[in-house]
Amino acid sequence: MDKHPQMAIVITSCGQRTQNGRRLMLVISGRSVQVARLLKPRSAVLVEAVRGRKSRTDPVAKSKQGRIKVPPPVDPVEMVVLKERYTEYQLIMRALRLEFKEEMLRKRYDEEIGSMAKQRAKQEAEEHHALMTWNKQENLRMLKVRMIRIQKENEEAEHKKLEAAIEREREQQEFIREKEREIMQLQEDAKNFITLENLDQRIEEALDNPKNYNFAIDKEGRVVKQTVLQ
C-alpha cells in the first residue's frame, strides 16, 4: 500500500474476484477504476469516461430516436385563474413594497430631521408669508409705474395728434395762400391778354416795335450773335 497526500491506491492480487463477483477495482482520488485498464501497455491511452453534458456535435441517443416531445396539457380555466391570481399577487407585493419603503423613508426622515421638522415648517411658513407680502407690494409698485407710463404714453399720443392736426392746418393755409397768389398773378397777367377789344392796338404795337429772336447765347446766357432785321 502506497501513501500519497492526494491519492490512495489499494492493490490486491490481480485477476482475483471479490466475494460479490466483481473485478478488483483501484481507488484513485475517490474514483473506482478497473485494475486491468491501468495495467494496459503504455502505447494505449487511458481515457476515463466522465458523465456530463453532450456537445453540439453528438448525435441523438438511440433510446430517444423518434421520440416526439409533447407538452403537458394545460387547462384554459386553470390558466386564467392562475394568471389572475399572479396578477393579484404582483399588485399586492408591489403595494406592500411601496408601503414598507414609504414607512422606512418616513422613519429615516423622522430620525434625521425629527425635532427640526416643526421649526423648519414654521420658518418656511414665515418666509412664504414674507415673500407673499413683498410680492403684493412689488405688484402694487409695478401697477403704479405701469399706470404712470400708460398715462404718459396717452398724453404723448394726444400731443402728437394735436401737433399733426396743427401741421395739417398750417399746410392747408399755406396751400390756400399759394393758390391765392397764383390767382392774383393770373389776374395781373390777364391784363396783357390779347382780346377782341385790344387786337388792333396790339397789332400796331407789334409792328412799331419789332423783335428779333434769331440770336445765339453763351453758357452765361449773354447774346453773342444776332441777325439784322430786314
Side-chain angles (χ1 to χ4, degrees):
M1 179 179 175
D2 296 336
K3 294 183 180 180
H4 195 274
Q6 296 181 355
M7 182 181 300
I9 302 176
V10 179
I11 301 177
T12 59
S13 59
C14 183
Q16 295 180 356
R17 292 180 179 270
T18 59
Q19 294 179 358
N20 57 2
R22 294 182 180 178
R23 289 184 176 275
L24 184 63
M25 306 297 291
L26 178 65
V27 180
I28 303 176
S29 298
R31 294 181 181 178
S32 299
V33 183
Q34 293 182 0
V35 177
R37 295 182 58 190
L38 296 175
L39 299 179
K40 284 184 178 182
R42 304 290 290 181
S43 60
V45 179
L46 178 61
V47 179
E48 183 182 356
V50 180
R51 183 179 179 84
R53 295 184 62 87
K54 295 172 60 174
S55 64
R56 294 179 180 271
T57 58
D58 292 340
V60 182
K62 293 181 180 180
S63 60
K64 296 183 179 180
Q65 288 181 353
R67 187 185 65 168
I68 299 176
K69 291 185 179 180
V70 179
V74 179
D75 187 3
V77 178
E78 183 180 0
M79 190 67 183
V80 173
V81 173
L82 289 176
K83 187 174 181 180
E84 291 179 355
R85 290 182 178 178
Y86 183 68
T87 304
E88 185 179 358
Y89 166 77
Q90 286 183 327
L91 293 176
I92 294 173
M93 292 302 296
R94 183 180 179 185
L96 289 174
R97 283 194 295 268
L98 291 177
E99 185 175 359
F100 292 155
K101 183 177 180 181
E102 183 180 359
E103 183 179 358
M104 182 184 65
L105 293 176
R106 189 184 299 110
K107 288 182 178 179
R108 183 183 300 175
Y109 178 82
D110 293 338
E111 291 176 358
E112 294 179 355
I113 299 176
S115 60
M116 298 180 62
K118 294 182 179 180
Q119 184 178 357
R120 180 172 297 180
K122 183 178 179 180
Q123 183 178 359
E124 290 179 355
E126 293 177 354
E127 184 178 358
H128 177 71
H129 181 70
L131 291 175
M132 292 298 295
T133 304
W134 176 83
N135 190 22
K136 291 180 180 179
Q137 295 177 357
E138 189 68 15
N139 289 336
L140 292 175
R141 186 183 68 82
M142 293 302 297
L143 178 62
K144 293 180 181 179
V145 173
R146 184 165 58 254
M147 294 298 295
I148 294 173
R149 177 174 55 82
I150 293 174
Q151 183 178 1
K152 186 177 180 181
E153 290 178 354
N154 294 333
E155 292 177 355
E156 290 179 355
E158 292 293 335
H159 183 67
K160 289 182 179 179
K161 289 181 180 179
L162 182 60
E163 288 182 351
I166 294 173
E167 183 66 20
R168 286 196 298 271
E169 184 68 21
R170 186 183 63 79
E171 291 178 355
Q172 186 69 19
Q173 294 296 329
E174 185 66 25
F175 178 76
I176 293 173
R177 285 194 293 270
E178 182 66 24
K179 294 301 179 182
E180 289 177 352
R181 286 194 296 269
E182 292 180 358
I183 292 172
M184 294 297 294
Q185 183 65 31
L186 185 60
Q187 289 177 355
E188 291 292 331
D189 295 339
K191 295 178 181 179
N192 297 324
F193 288 172
I194 298 174
T195 61
L196 293 175
E197 289 79 7
N198 61 3
L199 180 60
D200 296 336
Q201 181 182 356
R202 289 299 183 88
I203 292 174
E204 291 178 358
E205 291 178 357
L207 293 175
D208 293 339
N209 300 312
K211 292 184 179 180
N212 185 9
Y213 295 99
N214 190 11
F215 57 86
I217 60 176
D218 58 4
K219 293 181 179 180
E220 285 74 17
R222 296 187 297 269
V223 178
V224 296
K225 187 177 181 181
Q226 187 174 12
T227 60
V228 180
L229 291 174
Q230 297 179 355

